[in-house]
Amino acid sequence: MASIHKNRLSSETSPYLLQHADNPVDWYPWGDEALEKARKEDKPILLSIGYSACHWCHVMAHESFEDEETAAVMNELFVNIKVDREERPDLDKIYQLAHQIITRRPGGWPLTMFLNPHNQLPFFGGTYFPKTARYQLPSFRSLLEQVAEYYRRHKQDLDDHSRSFTAILQSIGQPEASEAPDPSTLIHAKHEMEAAFDRVNGGFGDAPKFPQLSNLEFLLHLWRRNPSEHGAALEMVTMTLTRMAEGGIYDHIGGGFARYSVDARWEIPHFEKMLYDNAVFLPLYAEAWQATGDPLFRKVAEETVEWALREMQSPEGGFYSSLDADSEGEEGKYYVWNRAEIESLLSPAEYAVVEPHYGLDRGPNFEGHWHLHVARPLEEVAADLGIDVDEAKRRLASARATLFQAREKRIRPGRDDKILTAWNGLMIKGLALASRLLDRRDWTKSADRAFEFLRRQLCVNNDRLLATYKDGRARFNAYLDDYAFVLDAGLELLQCEWRTDRLVWLLKLADRLLARFEDHEHGGFFFTSDDHEELIQRPKTLMDESTPAGNAIAARALLQIGHLVGEHRYTEAAERTLKAATSSMRQYPHAHGALLDAALEWLYPQQFIVLRGNLESLRTWTAAVRRAPATAEQRLVFAISAEETDLPGLLAERKVESGEVAYVCSGMTCLAPIRTLAEFEEFLRSSGENRK
């Protein structure tokens, strides 16, 4: 029977908010209407933050927000505000930090916070609360009544609390600039990561286990800088990537990775698939393939792209946000199998390979069902069956195709089809980098479509970004991550195909980043612009969260674009960011992988190679770069047609006299122009040998 309720969320674009539009709770979106109502009626605010792919958000919604009696208590005692943390990461960052201050525990989703209506400062909070008391938690309804009563009795105390809480918030995230990072900062971080490394399963720490991709990227780039000194860094990366690719966190039937593993072995995931995770997995596997030649890494990169293009790219070009963990009300139902079902779908020869390879000859590993993971290497299975490995691979590929077609007939998990600027920036960067390393120009076209979608639909006045798009409607003032990730993505795309108009646009974004987001007093960048809605805190986040830290990606992108066009304003802003973050990097290195990677690039600048000449001829030169030794310096390579004119900044000096020419610089040091392909190939070879 259809619900008769419709609250104020029904006009929103967020799929998460729309999931709650027919709750009996009188939900408001965050905005002036709700905040003014709370002030006027002197009712505390119940702020609930979640996202559409969040399993426990669904549980709390079903238990409490869909319950008429609980909703009646909420409506009577509170002004209820629902927020999609993916649309409003500014609010989420602030109130997650507030939760941590109040409870002295990490937060999560759903986040449930109770706010003073007169200043939006929290006075109590938690995450998931059950309908009835369990898990050592009170029932949600009794909690509501206690919190409302506390507010009535302690308003004066809350005024004193507000002053002290405001002081705490303002003191957090504003580190004083310190000395710049030095090589010892990087070595200390590597040693700390080695100490936390799981030498049996890969990854860092114990269950639940998150991929910590920024740390792996830093370690891979550290090894590339000095392979003889940092062999252990490469071992940590390759072991972790192998274990994850073999584990259940990877979808062996449809490609792509889940958010995290609930166990230390990467076997059972939390089944939601997020665009941002896969966007960072993709270039990491591509770079690991380039470093090692391991075909597993190339296969995973290719299958991850296939998943993203098949299930996540919209007809307009942008990429959707996530796939739910649940289908038909059950977590993981879409992904897990009954053993008899698999046996009935496959030929006996196929099943003979699949059963031991994916662990079907063992007990069920997920609530009476089997979630597929590599239980035995294919080489062992082939040897036991008396067949060669190529035959085992053929049977496995055929079986996977059959299982994929069978799974396609199931009821799919829900898809959050809003398009987020920042997450699209990550995916564009990943696609473009992987397309270069794996020589897949078709992927470049998909990345280009997404990038032009952002320029067309999520950019105002040619330099101001918006954060989210759905159903033809772009909304919300963009955040640091939006500018930083798009800037990073654009620079990567320019290496795939040069477009001067694209560089000019990126320079406008970089200028806006400096003008609207930079902390000119302490260095680094605030998460919100100086013309953003005024909130109880203006966050400046340096640590990686579920995505790389925006300050880190901003620093790296500004270093690169500054060196490319010879603009010191950009490189100096990057340096101020790294100085502001150095003390934090040294104290908590495991939480600053992306900033450590930016510091690595600042300390040891990448080679910038600008190629000028006939584009067809230059393809041979760029192919030579792809063939260069994996231990060569990291390079940015831009192939610019001789016909391009009006290039900005330093690029205007990269002239073409006749034929092709390569301009090579590292930081502020440049070589003489290289004018023959043979000379260029010799330079690449000798550069690689010098790194060994």
Side-chain angles (χ1 to χ4, degrees):
M1 182 176 178
S3 171
I4 60 172
H5 300 286
K6 273 298 178 196
N7 55 48
R8 289 165 180 81
L9 302 183
S10 59
S11 60
E12 292 297 303
T13 54
S14 159
Y16 175 67
L17 298 187
L18 291 172
Q19 288 171 4
H20 296 270
D22 59 358
N23 289 168
V25 178
D26 188 16
W27 289 117
Y28 287 77
W30 180 277
D32 290 341
E33 183 183 6
L35 300 179
E36 179 58 32
K37 177 181 172 65
R39 281 192 296 268
K40 185 176 179 180
E41 298 182 7
D42 192 28
K43 279 186 176 181
I45 294 168
L46 191 165
L47 176 65
S48 176
I49 302 178
Y51 60 103
S52 69
C54 166
H55 172 71
W56 286 102
C57 299
H58 298 326
V59 172
M60 190 167 178
H62 178 67
E63 290 180 346
S64 295
F65 303 151
E66 296 170 9
D67 178 68
E68 297 277 356
E69 294 181 357
T70 303
V73 175
M74 293 172 66
N75 295 338
E76 178 186 356
L77 300 178
F78 298 93
V79 172
N80 303 290
I81 297 179
K82 176 63 75 172
V83 166
D84 182 341
R85 69 106 172 174
E86 296 168 356
E87 281 191 339
R88 295 299 305 264
D90 53 338
L91 294 170
D92 185 55
K93 288 180 187 297
I94 289 169
Y95 289 106
Q96 292 284 354
L97 175 61
H99 171 275
Q100 191 166 354
I101 293 170
I102 291 171
T103 67
R104 299 184 181 181
R105 295 192 305 271
W109 301 279
L111 182 67
T112 308
M113 299 297 288
F114 297 92
L115 315 183
N116 185 324
H118 302 290
N119 54 25
Q120 292 90 59
L121 286 163
F123 60 92
F124 186 76
T127 52
Y128 163 79
F129 290 102
K131 182 178 179 180
T132 56
R134 61 182 188 277
Y135 311 131
Q136 297 182 316
L137 293 169
S139 74
F140 187 51
R141 197 184 310 174
S142 68
L143 177 73
L144 295 172
E145 293 167 346
Q146 291 174 48
V147 169
E149 180 64 20
Y150 180 89
Y151 177 75
R152 285 194 295 271
R153 290 180 177 271
H154 296 276
K155 290 183 184 180
Q156 184 60 49
D157 295 340
L158 288 180
D159 289 339
D160 297 335
H161 163 81
S162 294
R163 285 189 289 274
S164 61
F165 198 86
T166 299
I168 294 171
L169 279 179
Q170 298 309 319
S171 68
I172 293 175
Q174 305 295 346
E176 294 290 336
S178 61
E179 294 295 319
D182 59 31
S184 69
T185 307
L186 309 181
I187 302 306
H188 170 67
K190 186 191 80 166
H191 290 158
E192 289 290 305
M193 292 176 190
E194 282 183 295
F197 185 66
D198 181 343
R199 300 187 180 280
V200 175
N201 303 296
F204 305 95
D206 206 343
K209 187 173 280 187
F210 290 83
Q212 299 189 37
L213 300 177
S214 292
N215 289 350
L216 296 177
E217 185 177 44
F218 160 67
L219 290 169
L220 181 58
H221 294 167
L222 185 67
W223 165 81
R224 188 187 293 279
R225 179 66 212 168
N226 193 330
S228 60
E229 182 179 345
H230 300 303
L234 180 64
E235 291 173 9
M236 285 189 279
V237 173
T238 55
M239 179 182 175
T240 301
L241 293 181
T242 299
R243 295 289 186 270
M244 287 192 292
E246 294 173 342
I249 192 174
Y250 183 66
D251 182 353
H252 291 271
I253 301 304
F257 287 86
R259 172 83 272 263
Y260 65 87
S261 174
V262 301
D263 60 85
R265 303 181 305 279
W266 307 108
E267 184 174 332
I268 302 299
H270 184 42
F271 287 89
E272 63 191 11
K273 284 185 180 179
M274 312 301 295
L275 180 70
Y276 59 77
D277 285 318
N278 288 280
V280 183
F281 268 117
L282 171 57
L284 190 54
Y285 273 92
E287 287 194 77
W289 173 77
Q290 183 197 41
T292 65
D294 188 331
L296 173 65
F297 297 154
R298 180 171 186 131
K299 170 179 172 288
V300 169
E302 290 174 337
E303 291 176 355
T304 300
V305 173
E306 290 170 6
W307 166 77
L309 301 188
R310 181 181 69 243
E311 299 191 28
M312 303 303 285
Q313 190 164 28
S314 73
E316 294 177 275
F319 286 90
Y320 301 131
S321 295
S322 63
L323 297 181
D324 208 328
D326 300 2
S327 57
E328 301 180 73
E330 296 181 26
E331 183 180 8
K333 184 172 183 178
Y334 180 77
Y335 297 100
V336 299
W337 295 88
N338 180 292
R339 182 165 57 191
E341 179 188 9
I342 291 180
E343 189 169 11
S344 70
L345 289 167
L346 303 181
S347 70
E350 291 169 339
Y351 187 74
V353 171
V354 166
E355 183 186 50
H357 183 58
Y358 285 142
L360 297 170
D361 55 350
R362 307 178 184 189
N365 60 358
F366 184 77
E367 298 179 359
H369 294 81
W370 280 262
H371 179 57
L372 304 185
H373 68 287
V374 175
R376 292 185 63 199
L378 202 57
E379 292 77 9
E380 285 186 13
V381 173
D384 286 352
L385 294 175
I387 60 177
D388 61 40
V389 174
D390 286 342
E391 172 61 15
K393 289 179 180 178
R394 188 196 65 76
R395 293 186 192 180
L396 180 63
S398 175
R400 290 176 66 220
T402 299
L403 295 176
F404 175 78
Q405 291 302 325
R407 199 178 75 174
E408 286 284 280
K409 298 174 184 177
R410 297 178 179 177
I411 296 175
R412 289 179 172 276
R415 180 172 63 192
D416 187 323
D417 59 353
K418 68 177 178 294
I419 296 171
L420 296 169
T421 300
W423 297 7
N424 271 256
L426 289 173
M427 179 52 80
I428 294 164
K429 162 73 179 287
L431 268 176
L433 188 150
S435 73
R436 283 195 301 106
L437 298 187
L438 277 60
D439 196 19
R440 291 291 301 266
R441 292 190 197 175
D442 51 327
W443 297 353
T444 304
K445 292 178 181 177
S446 295
D448 190 78
R449 284 181 61 218
F451 192 83
E452 288 307 306
F453 171 84
L454 296 183
R455 287 187 67 178
R456 186 174 63 250
Q457 299 290 1
L458 283 145
C459 184
V460 180
N461 298 329
N462 204 32
D463 73 339
R464 186 168 78 86
L465 295 176
L466 299 176
T468 181
Y469 173 94
K470 187 176 184 298
D471 297 335
R473 186 180 175 192
R475 303 182 66 194
F476 301 114
N477 192 24
Y479 311 101
L480 168 63
D481 290 3
D482 298 297
Y483 285 89
F485 296 173
V486 170
L487 192 58
D488 195 37
L491 285 166
E492 190 64 52
L493 264 182
L494 286 176
Q495 296 186 74
C496 298
E497 181 180 3
W498 182 266
R499 283 180 50 176
T500 301
D501 69 303
R502 186 168 284 171
L503 175 62
V504 170
W505 185 65
L506 293 175
L507 292 171
K508 291 181 183 295
L509 295 189
D511 288 342
R512 189 171 187 87
L513 185 63
L514 265 58
R516 294 294 189 181
F517 290 84
E518 190 177 11
D519 181 346
H520 298 286
E521 182 179 356
H522 299 108
F525 296 90
F526 293 107
F527 188 71
T528 54
S529 61
D530 60 5
D531 56 353
H532 195 77
E533 172 191 356
E534 187 173 348
L535 301 171
I536 62 172
Q537 187 203 30
R538 193 179 179 199
K540 185 167 70 175
T541 52
L542 300 174
M543 296 185 185
D544 300 319
E545 296 174 349
S546 53
T547 56
N551 266 283
I553 305 305
R556 186 175 69 192
L558 288 169
L559 280 172
Q560 293 178 359
I561 203 167
H563 286 308
L564 180 63
V565 300
E567 177 54 76
H568 295 303
R569 289 186 304 120
Y570 303 142
T571 56
E572 288 168 358
E575 181 176 342
R576 288 192 295 271
T577 301
L578 293 172
K579 287 181 175 179
T582 298
S583 61
S584 189
M585 279 191 276
R586 288 174 176 163
Q587 190 171 5
Y588 306 108
H590 58 279
H592 293 84
L595 269 164
L596 289 163
D597 196 49
L600 176 65
E601 182 160 338
W602 181 72
L603 287 164
Y604 307 104
Q606 295 194 65
Q607 284 180 351
F608 276 73
I609 301 177
V610 175
L611 304 173
R612 299 298 310 271
N614 176 274
L615 277 184
E616 281 303 315
S617 299
L618 289 181
R619 293 192 193 283
T620 308
W621 293 56
T622 56
V625 176
R626 282 199 305 275
R627 294 193 303 271
T631 51
E633 289 194 56
Q634 288 187 265
R635 301 184 173 103
L636 286 86
V637 183
F638 303 92
I640 307 175
S641 168
E643 298 176 1
E644 290 281 351
T645 58
D646 298 324
L647 294 171
L650 185 65
L651 288 173
E653 301 177 15
R654 308 309 192 202
K655 299 182 184 299
V656 187
E657 295 174 4
S658 63
E660 284 67 51
V661 59
Y663 295 92
V664 180
C665 298
S666 293
M668 301 301 173
T669 304
C670 297
L671 303 179
I674 300 174
R675 300 190 181 280
T676 69
L677 178 59
E679 186 183 357
F680 185 59
E681 290 176 328
E682 172 59 23
F683 157 73
L684 294 173
R685 184 190 62 76
S686 62
S687 178
E689 287 180 350
N690 291 337
R691 286 282 164 217
K692 292 180 181 177

